[in-house]
Amino acid sequence: MAMVSELGINLANEHAQVVPISLFVAILCFCLVIGHLLEENRWVNESITAILVGCTAGTIILFVSKGKSSHILTFDEELFFIYLLPPIIFNAGFQVKKKQFFHNFLTIMLYGVTGVFISTFIISAAVGTIFSSTDTVCTLQVLHQDETPLLYSLVFGEGVVNDATSVVLFNAVQKLDVSRLNVGALRVIGDFLYLFSLSTALGITAGLLTAYVLKALCFGRHSSVREIALMILMAYLSYMLAELLELSGILTVFFSGILMSHYAWYNVTESSRITTRHVFATMSFIAETFIFLYVGMDALDIEKWRMTKLSVGNLMGIYSSLILLIFLGRAAFVFPLSAFSNYMSRRTERTSAISFRHQIVIWWAGLIRGAVSIALAFKQFTISGTTSDPVNATMITNTIIVVLFSTLVFGFLTKPLISYLLPHHAIRKNLNRQESKTPMEDMNLPLLSFEESAATNISRAKESLSFLIESPVYTIHSYWRRFDDAYMRPIFGGPHSRQTEC
Amino acid sequence: MAMVSELGINLANEHAQVVPISLFVAILCFCLVIGHLLEENRWVNESITAILVGCTAGTIILFVSKGKSSHILTFDEELFFIYLLPPIIFNAGFQVKKKQFFHNFLTIMLYGVTGVFISTFIISAAVGTIFSSTDTVCTLQVLHQDETPLLYSLVFGEGVVNDATSVVLFNAVQKLDVSRLNVGALRVIGDFLYLFSLSTALGITAGLLTAYVLKALCFGRHSSVREIALMILMAYLSYMLAELLELSGILTVFFSGILMSHYAWYNVTESSRITTRHVFATMSFIAETFIFLYVGMDALDIEKWRMTKLSVGNLMGIYSSLILLIFLGRAAFVFPLSAFSNYMSRRTERTSAISFRHQIVIWWAGLIRGAVSIALAFKQFTISGTTSDPVNATMITNTIIVVLFSTLVFGFLTKPLISYLLPHHAIRKNLNRQESKTPMEDMNLPLLSFEESAATNISRAKESLSFLIESPVYTIHSYWRRFDDAYMRPIFGGPHSRQTEC
């Protein structure tokens, strides 16, 4: 008897989980196909598709559940921070072209760190740093790493550092008590530096450890499965450890990604290399789509709307002012900082200055508030997805609206804008598309572009030696490269030291 | 104020999740390294390592938590059925050599289906089908698909069909009311046939659909990421749907795996092929290790032990009798069935008869009770991992003990036994190991073995045509192949129809 009842409960539990998951997976598949079919389309991109599909799904569920709820799962912010965010950021670190990234490191930090600080203070303390974290994924889908390397690495790099900064800043702001705000600013900066350095160190350690273990124990000898498993697990572990130590998991996993692609990647078998690159890309792809889907659904959450005791007029006022703030807040640092970095680079006679058109693209790219904003909002204003306080509800709805608006409208205009600002780039892009029609090319492409970036490092290093006198950045880089080839690569692996002893 | 308290709760929530996950991931990494180091060792294998590591971890946690609990997460059977089981089974279907599998299909069904039925009735109704589901992973690690193909596909095939059968049978037994047991048997068989056919059909549909979509829309043209994502998601969706419709998700996902590797796999780009194969292997590898780890930890769960109000003597009695029953229950059908299938194959003049030594290996392979047993036990006797009833507690501890004992002792003896029964095989194995020391070989090996199995199908088909008169099995197979080449492959893709229109 007891057993039967237990069984009943068990089945109930099971279905409570099985139904939403199957639904979500089905919708994900649908999004995937749509996204593929709209690939040629120059107006719509992946995230917009996901959001729109999410909205439609939400409305359907709304009708089916007779206006009870619009989403299948309630958004537990843990779901985001534990399962969805790590793959996205890790993949970012794993796939980034390291040379470009570190070449523009200073500029990126300028944008990422200073940017958040400035726009945080402009976008009032009330809204906090939620809207300072930008989502550049949308723009990156339009920019090409090989065609506009500088622009790409700036936008991308800012995106990452910026995510990290705003999470850090967000936690910091939460910690400090408002009574002693004069001391606050210093403490925030202190906290930031502390967290930034520690998180980075942890990430680097994880990456190096993985590389060393893979190299020393020659995992490839027995099975490439273990190699892949180890890389994935170690990356994930580094993130979780960072969260555990209340550091910025994002920064940690990002740097562990960079180091794994720089060292560990060379210590695994050929098939593992291909696999890892595609797996990480796929996981992050799924995670992103999932988030945007959810945002789409959550936009129709009746409960939250009812709870916000504000007239439509007021809401509109809030939203428009928020978006205006975002516009200003971003403009307020993008253009000055660009000017500054241009001035610096002119001093050091670096050829690659940031043209005004590029500045506009950078400014634009950051206007889009993405998944991280949502997650931060949910983290602050709800206990695991549910809220009771009307003020909190308002905050969340605000966030969602801003994200929706920015992603849809700005995202919608991104491709046209860029093809208007960088017409040459747009043409090149179309050409590429024509070429990559053949599967053969496309299928080697990812590997090639990666191999290339790894193989030609040496030649690049030689190049950079010629600039030695001209640019301090190059000097640092060439020093690093010498050190890397002399000490790091022999220990942790790289293109030179192909695991011969195995 | 309210916000701060909420934040506090949030952090608490977060850590409640973060700590166990990080711990588990860390232990997983550790297992991985150990498993790699013990690869040469002929006594210990992956699952044993995992269990032992789990035990040690359990004891440590036991001391740290001052005897409160021995495991980090409580085993929610959903965790198993929703996240861990699908990858294992799907990978099984994806990697199996289809020709061998379907060649011995009848024999496999004999073992898998009839076997479970027989041993279920021998291993009393009280214990139910929990112990009828065997875990042949352990033995498969010793057998080689290329060296003893017949034996391998028998042991493996039984493992899969058997899992499915016992899950089906298990649900069926739970459903039927004990009052009308005379009708029960028929209903069970009816249920089984119904579930078996429907689950298979669903799996095949999912596989074909994926293959068709991939082929028709030429996903590879734009990104191999989408291809991979689609395959993974569709496979998972098929499983969830099956569970939703209360079919056997295992069978469904197994067959979708088979069809994906037979059709869909040819419609994706080269890199996606390599990736998918390794990803599925890796996911199932991680899942298995995770389960065995958990079993190891759970063995030390004090609560359950305290709850079982039985003297040590009684317990020992139960365990030994259980294990004896398993011995007999398996012997009772392996040897008769082998004799029967040999008789059949002699009739049809098939050369490959099952030698007595092979019969012993098959018998032995099935003695090991694995992760599925545990999951079934937890599913039946607990509500999401926690139990209050002493009888249920006893059942669970019984299961765990039997699984531990069989995995440790039998698993421990498997390699020696096999190398004694099949000395030639053992020697060959060692030679192989010597050769595969070089990473180059090992890194091509997985791919080769797969390519081969795919490429040489045609030649095999030709072979089989020569047997046309001799064996009905071959006739069926050749008919199937003709049909496949003529109608299926052009639509769903295969080695002949390399996506030219993309």
Side-chain angles (χ1 to χ4, degrees):
Chain A
M1 202 54 237
M3 207 185 85
V4 177
S5 65
E6 281 181 21
L7 173 68
I9 295 157
N10 266 348
L11 281 176
N13 288 347
E14 206 167 345
H15 281 75
Q17 283 243 28
V18 171
V19 174
I21 292 177
S22 357
L23 245 171
F24 239 113
V25 175
I27 298 172
L28 271 174
C29 289
F30 180 70
C31 275
L32 226 124
V33 176
I34 300 295
H36 166 73
L37 295 176
L38 292 176
E39 182 76 28
E40 261 86 7
N41 186 313
R42 59 194 290 273
W43 296 92
V44 182
N45 64 37
E46 213 83 43
S47 32
I48 292 179
T49 325
I51 285 189
L52 293 179
V53 172
C55 282
T56 35
T59 34
I60 293 163
I61 297 160
L62 203 59
F63 282 121
V64 171
S65 70
K66 291 162 200 61
K68 248 199 244 83
S69 79
S70 72
H71 42 44
I72 315 161
L73 316 157
T74 54
F75 188 96
D76 180 356
E77 54 96 7
E78 281 181 14
L79 173 75
F80 182 86
F81 275 105
I82 294 181
Y83 301 110
L84 300 178
L85 196 51
I88 297 177
I89 306 294
F90 178 78
N91 182 56
F94 195 80
Q95 311 279 4
V96 66
K97 285 194 172 171
K98 291 171 286 297
K99 180 135 181 304
Q100 273 295 343
F101 180 76
F102 285 109
H103 183 173
N104 306 315
F105 191 70
L106 295 176
T107 327
I108 287 165
M109 291 304 282
L110 262 178
Y111 284 120
V113 180
T114 336
V116 172
F117 276 100
I118 295 173
S119 57
T120 307
F121 290 123
I122 289 183
I123 303 170
S124 65
V127 189
T129 51
I130 290 168
F131 297 112
S132 307
S133 73
T134 65
D135 175 22
T136 52
V137 177
C138 187
T139 318
L140 288 182
Q141 290 173 340
V142 186
L143 297 175
H144 269 211
Q145 193 160 12
D146 309 316
E147 290 160 12
T148 55
L150 172 66
L151 193 56
Y152 183 92
S153 69
L154 284 184
V155 170
F156 169 82
E158 187 202 342
V160 172
V161 177
N162 177 307
D163 276 355
T165 323
S166 45
V167 169
V168 169
L169 206 54
F170 179 74
N171 292 331
V173 167
Q174 283 186 324
K175 278 194 203 108
L176 63 85
D177 50 355
V178 197
S179 61
R180 297 163 44 250
L181 204 58
N182 52 346
V183 202
L186 281 173
R187 247 180 65 191
V188 169
I189 294 166
D191 273 8
F192 174 77
L193 292 176
Y194 165 82
L195 285 175
F196 189 90
S197 48
L198 271 193
S199 312
T200 314
L202 181 58
I204 291 172
T205 323
L208 288 180
L209 185 64
T210 318
Y212 183 74
V213 168
L214 282 172
K215 189 170 161 61
L217 305 180
C218 322
F219 270 66
R221 196 175 54 201
H222 293 316
S223 78
S224 44
V225 168
R226 279 208 201 83
E227 299 176 322
I228 301 162
L230 192 71
M231 281 177 83
I232 295 174
L233 289 175
M234 282 301 288
Y236 193 59
L237 183 60
S238 74
Y239 179 85
M240 293 309 275
L241 275 182
E243 288 293 316
L244 200 61
L245 306 173
E246 298 192 327
L247 303 172
S248 153
I250 294 179
L251 261 175
T252 308
V253 80
F254 175 68
F255 273 97
S256 76
I258 288 183
L259 269 99
M260 282 202 190
S261 71
H262 190 60
Y263 296 117
W265 192 75
Y266 293 99
N267 304 338
V268 298
T269 58
E270 191 59 35
S271 40
S272 302
R273 292 183 193 180
I274 302 169
T275 308
T276 41
R277 292 200 52 255
H278 286 82
V279 173
F280 298 143
T282 309
M283 294 196 313
S284 103
F285 174 79
I286 292 177
E288 271 169 21
T289 320
F290 183 93
I291 290 167
F292 282 113
L293 258 181
Y294 186 88
V295 173
M297 286 190 185
D298 204 64
L300 299 160
D301 187 348
I302 301 300
E303 281 314 308
K304 292 208 189 66
W305 288 111
R306 242 186 245 114
M307 232 182 280
T308 65
K309 299 188 181 61
L310 288 169
S311 72
V312 179
N314 292 351
L315 286 174
M316 285 308 134
I318 293 173
Y319 301 144
S320 41
S321 52
L322 268 178
I323 288 161
L324 190 69
L325 276 173
I326 292 166
F327 266 97
L328 295 178
R330 187 152 180 82
F333 72 89
V334 166
F335 298 109
L337 288 182
S338 314
F340 176 70
S341 108
N342 281 345
Y343 171 72
M344 290 305 293
S345 60
R346 206 171 299 108
R347 283 269 319 289
T348 60
E349 284 158 27
R350 269 169 55 202
T351 44
S352 58
I354 306 161
S355 76
F356 183 65
R357 290 176 161 220
H358 280 189
Q359 293 180 24
I360 294 176
V361 173
I362 294 167
W363 171 71
W364 182 265
L367 288 179
I368 296 159
R369 268 52 187 161
V372 173
S373 295
I374 295 277
L376 287 177
F378 274 96
K379 180 170 187 176
Q380 178 159 22
F381 300 115
T382 71
I383 305 171
S384 65
T386 59
T387 180
S388 48
D389 178 6
V391 180
N392 293 349
T394 324
M395 288 309 302
I396 288 168
T397 45
N398 290 351
T399 319
I400 288 167
I401 284 294
V402 170
V403 171
L404 268 180
F405 181 81
S406 63
T407 313
L408 288 179
V409 178
F410 299 162
F412 196 66
L413 297 174
T414 301
K415 281 186 185 179
L417 179 80
I418 286 175
S419 53
Y420 165 74
L421 287 173
L422 317 166
H424 160 70
H425 157 266
I427 294 152
R428 284 267 306 283
K429 197 156 175 308
N430 293 333
L431 282 177
N432 285 2
R433 190 176 286 138
Q434 293 308 327
E435 289 158 9
S436 69
K437 274 277 190 297
T438 65
M440 275 308 291
E441 252 183 55
D442 189 68
M443 109 184 137
N444 301 335
L445 201 84
L447 201 64
L448 281 173
S449 67
F450 199 66
E451 288 291 8
E452 171 264 329
S453 75
T456 58
N457 271 341
I458 309 99
S459 62
R460 282 196 190 144
K462 287 207 189 68
E463 280 175 31
S464 64
L465 284 173
S466 65
F467 291 100
L468 204 61
I469 323 92
E470 297 166 29
S471 149
V473 179
Y474 278 111
T475 329
I476 294 164
H477 178 260
S478 68
Y479 277 139
W480 156 249
R481 183 146 295 295
R482 285 210 214 110
F483 173 74
D484 190 26
D485 296 342
Y487 303 102
M488 302 297 278
R489 291 226 142 121
I491 304 170
F492 299 108
H496 311 310
S497 67
R498 283 300 303 277
Q499 47 197 150
T500 43
E501 64 281 354
C502 292
Chain B
M1 201 52 234
M3 207 186 86
V4 176
S5 64
E6 281 181 20
L7 174 67
I9 295 160
N10 266 350
L11 280 176
N13 289 346
E14 206 168 344
H15 280 76
Q17 282 243 29
V18 171
V19 174
I21 292 177
S22 353
L23 245 170
F24 239 114
V25 175
I27 298 172
L28 270 174
C29 290
F30 180 70
C31 275
L32 225 123
V33 176
I34 300 296
H36 167 73
L37 294 176
L38 292 176
E39 182 76 25
E40 260 86 7
N41 185 314
R42 59 194 289 273
W43 297 92
V44 183
N45 62 37
E46 214 81 44
S47 33
I48 293 179
T49 324
I51 285 188
L52 294 180
V53 172
C55 282
T56 35
T59 34
I60 293 164
I61 298 161
L62 203 59
F63 281 120
V64 171
S65 69
K66 291 162 197 64
K68 248 198 245 83
S69 79
S70 72
H71 42 45
I72 315 161
L73 316 156
T74 54
F75 188 95
D76 181 356
E77 53 97 5
E78 280 181 15
L79 174 75
F80 182 86
F81 275 104
I82 294 182
Y83 301 110
L84 300 178
L85 195 52
I88 298 176
I89 306 295
F90 178 78
N91 182 54
F94 196 79
Q95 311 278 4
V96 66
K97 284 192 173 172
K98 290 171 286 300
K99 179 129 185 304
Q100 274 293 343
F101 181 76
F102 285 109
H103 184 173
N104 307 316
F105 192 69
L106 295 175
T107 327
I108 288 165
M109 291 304 281
L110 261 178
Y111 283 119
V113 181
T114 337
V116 172
F117 276 99
I118 294 174
S119 58
T120 306
F121 290 122
I122 290 184
I123 303 170
S124 65
V127 189
T129 51
I130 290 168
F131 296 111
S132 306
S133 72
T134 65
D135 173 23
T136 52
V137 177
C138 186
T139 318
L140 288 181
Q141 290 174 338
V142 186
L143 296 173
H144 269 213
Q145 193 159 11
D146 310 314
E147 289 160 12
T148 56
L150 172 66
L151 192 58
Y152 184 93
S153 69
L154 284 185
V155 169
F156 169 82
E158 187 203 342
V160 172
V161 178
N162 176 308
D163 276 355
T165 324
S166 45
V167 169
V168 170
L169 206 54
F170 179 75
N171 292 332
V173 167
Q174 283 185 323
K175 278 195 203 105
L176 64 85
D177 51 354
V178 197
S179 60
R180 300 159 47 244
L181 204 59
N182 51 346
V183 201
L186 282 172
R187 247 181 65 192
V188 169
I189 294 166
D191 272 7
F192 174 76
L193 293 176
Y194 165 81
L195 284 177
F196 190 90
S197 48
L198 271 193
S199 312
T200 313
L202 181 58
I204 291 172
T205 323
L208 288 181
L209 184 64
T210 318
Y212 183 75
V213 169
L214 282 174
K215 188 170 162 62
L217 304 182
C218 321
F219 269 66
R221 194 176 54 199
H222 292 317
S223 78
S224 43
V225 168
R226 280 207 200 84
E227 299 176 322
I228 300 162
L230 192 70
M231 280 176 84
I232 295 174
L233 290 175
M234 282 300 287
Y236 193 60
L237 183 60
S238 73
Y239 178 85
M240 293 309 274
L241 275 181
E243 287 294 316
L244 201 60
L245 306 172
E246 296 193 328
L247 304 171
S248 153
I250 293 179
L251 262 175
T252 309
V253 79
F254 175 69
F255 273 97
S256 77
I258 288 183
L259 269 97
M260 283 202 190
S261 70
H262 190 61
Y263 296 117
W265 191 75
Y266 293 100
N267 305 337
V268 299
T269 58
E270 191 59 35
S271 40
S272 302
R273 293 185 192 179
I274 302 170
T275 307
T276 42
R277 291 203 51 258
H278 287 81
V279 173
F280 298 144
T282 309
M283 293 195 314
S284 101
F285 174 80
I286 292 178
E288 271 170 19
T289 319
F290 183 93
I291 290 167
F292 282 112
L293 257 181
Y294 186 89
V295 174
M297 285 190 185
D298 203 65
L300 299 161
D301 187 348
I302 300 301
E303 281 314 308
K304 292 210 190 64
W305 288 110
R306 240 186 246 113
M307 235 181 279
T308 66
K309 299 187 179 63
L310 289 168
S311 72
V312 179
N314 293 351
L315 286 173
M316 285 308 134
I318 293 173
Y319 300 144
S320 42
S321 51
L322 268 178
I323 288 160
L324 191 69
L325 275 172
I326 291 167
F327 266 97
L328 296 177
R330 186 152 180 83
F333 73 89
V334 167
F335 297 111
L337 287 183
S338 316
F340 175 69
S341 108
N342 281 343
Y343 171 72
M344 290 304 293
S345 59
R346 206 172 300 106
R347 282 271 317 288
T348 60
E349 283 159 27
R350 269 170 54 202
T351 46
S352 58
I354 306 161
S355 78
F356 183 66
R357 289 176 161 220
H358 281 188
Q359 294 179 25
I360 294 176
V361 172
I362 294 167
W363 170 71
W364 182 264
L367 289 178
I368 296 158
R369 267 53 185 160
V372 174
S373 295
I374 294 277
L376 286 178
F378 274 97
K379 181 170 188 176
Q380 178 160 24
F381 299 115
T382 72
I383 306 171
S384 66
T386 60
T387 180
S388 49
D389 177 6
V391 179
N392 293 350
T394 323
M395 288 309 303
I396 289 169
T397 44
N398 290 350
T399 318
I400 288 167
I401 284 294
V402 171
V403 171
L404 267 180
F405 181 81
S406 63
T407 313
L408 288 179
V409 177
F410 299 161
F412 196 66
L413 296 173
T414 301
K415 280 185 185 180
L417 180 81
I418 285 176
S419 54
Y420 165 75
L421 288 172
L422 317 166
H424 160 69
H425 158 266
I427 294 153
R428 285 266 306 279
K429 197 155 174 308
N430 293 334
L431 283 177
N432 286 2
R433 189 176 289 137
Q434 293 307 328
E435 289 157 7
S436 71
K437 274 278 192 294
T438 64
M440 275 307 292
E441 255 183 53
D442 189 68
M443 110 184 140
N444 301 336
L445 201 89
L447 202 63
L448 281 173
S449 66
F450 198 66
E451 287 292 7
E452 173 264 328
S453 74
T456 59
N457 270 341
I458 310 98
S459 61
R460 281 194 190 148
K462 289 208 188 66
E463 282 174 29
S464 63
L465 284 174
S466 64
F467 291 100
L468 204 60
I469 323 92
E470 299 167 25
S471 150
V473 179
Y474 276 110
T475 330
I476 295 163
H477 177 260
S478 69
Y479 277 138
W480 156 248
R481 183 147 294 295
R482 283 210 215 107
F483 173 74
D484 191 26
D485 296 340
Y487 302 103
M488 302 296 278
R489 289 231 145 118
I491 304 170
F492 299 108
H496 311 310
S497 67
R498 283 300 303 277
Q499 48 199 146
T500 43
E501 64 281 357
C502 293

